[in-house]
Structures are given as C-alpha cells and as structure tokens.
Amino acid sequence: QVQLVESGGGVVQTGGSLRLSCAASGRTFSIYAMGWFRQAPGKEREFVAAIKWRGGVTYYADSVKGRFTISRDNAKNTEYLQMNSLKPEDTAVYYCAADRGDGTFRSMSAHEYDYWGQGTQVTVSS
C-alpha cells in the first residue's frame, strides 16, 4: 500500500500564497498519478489538480486555473500544490490522493484514487 502525508496548510489573507506538500511512502513504485482534492464544511469533496507521475501531464479545476500549480519531485516521492492569489472560497481541508493505475485514469473523479492522506487545513481570511 501507499501512505500519504500532507503538510503546509495554514491561515493566509486573501491574495496570499501557500504551498502544500504531500509525501508518499510504501509501495510508491505503483503510483500512476497523484492529485489534490478539497472539502469545505457542508460541501462535497471536489477536485483541485492532478499530475501524472512519469509524464508530468497536469490537470486543473476551472476554479483554480491560473492561480494554482501542481508539481512533483519523483526522487522525493513528493507532490506539491503552489497556491497563489488565494480567495476565501479556497478555504477547505485539502487532501492528497494517489492512483495506482489499475484502470483508466479520470483525474477529476475521487473514486479513481486508491490512497488518501489525512488532510491539511487551508484557511483564507477575508
């Protein structure tokens, strides 16, 4: 199995920036893609961004395009989410996820991912 640990969350003012990290351990050789999802109170978990582990192809939700950047360091088994121009509506618990490539990859589907981190809180004050 794969274990994922997020870090980097915190409180920031509107317009500020944060960088989230997700460190993977265990059977990391099985990872096909990694992504970020977020969940605000009273809302369903939503897709934020994803990246294919080897090719580096990225995917973004429309709500974060131009503001967020996903990247990965294969040697460190770590993915990052650079968040700029943060808005109050970005406030949520952010979850790291990994897909083992056991089927057709659909980046935006939470059900596509096999492993999840514990989440890290991001709060953007207005």
Side-chain angles (χ1 to χ4, degrees):
Q1 70 273 37
V2 174
Q3 294 80 44
L4 305 173
V5 179
E6 304 99 331
S7 62
V11 180
V12 66
Q13 293 183 336
T14 298
S17 299
L18 285 173
R19 190 179 78 156
L20 306 183
S21 299
C22 175
S25 61
R27 298 171 62 86
T28 57
F29 60 86
S30 67
I31 296 176
Y32 177 76
M34 296 185 71
W36 291 95
F37 288 75
R38 66 187 183 186
Q39 188 167 23
K43 297 183 179 180
E44 295 185 351
R45 189 167 299 186
E46 66 173 348
F47 171 78
V48 177
I51 186 168
K52 290 185 177 180
W53 203 241
R54 297 187 183 278
V57 178
T58 58
Y59 309 84
Y60 294 96
D62 289 340
S63 60
V64 305
K65 285 182 178 179
R67 299 189 299 120
F68 291 10
T69 302
I70 189 170
S71 62
R72 86 277 194 257
D73 187 330
N74 298 62
K76 296 182 178 180
N77 292 318
T78 301
E79 71 163 351
Y80 306 93
L81 185 68
Q82 178 66 47
M83 304 184 294
N84 299 324
S85 301
L86 284 162
K87 306 174 181 179
E89 49 262 47
D90 294 318
T91 296
V93 176
Y94 283 70
Y95 296 91
C96 176
D99 177 72
R100 66 189 182 200
D102 54 330
T104 302
F105 180 63
R106 297 183 296 168
S107 63
M108 297 185 180
S109 176
H111 293 104
E112 199 71 34
Y113 296 83
D114 303 289
Y115 308 102
W116 294 86
Q118 81 288 351
T120 185
Q121 177 70 48
V122 172
T123 301
V124 184
S125 63
S126 59

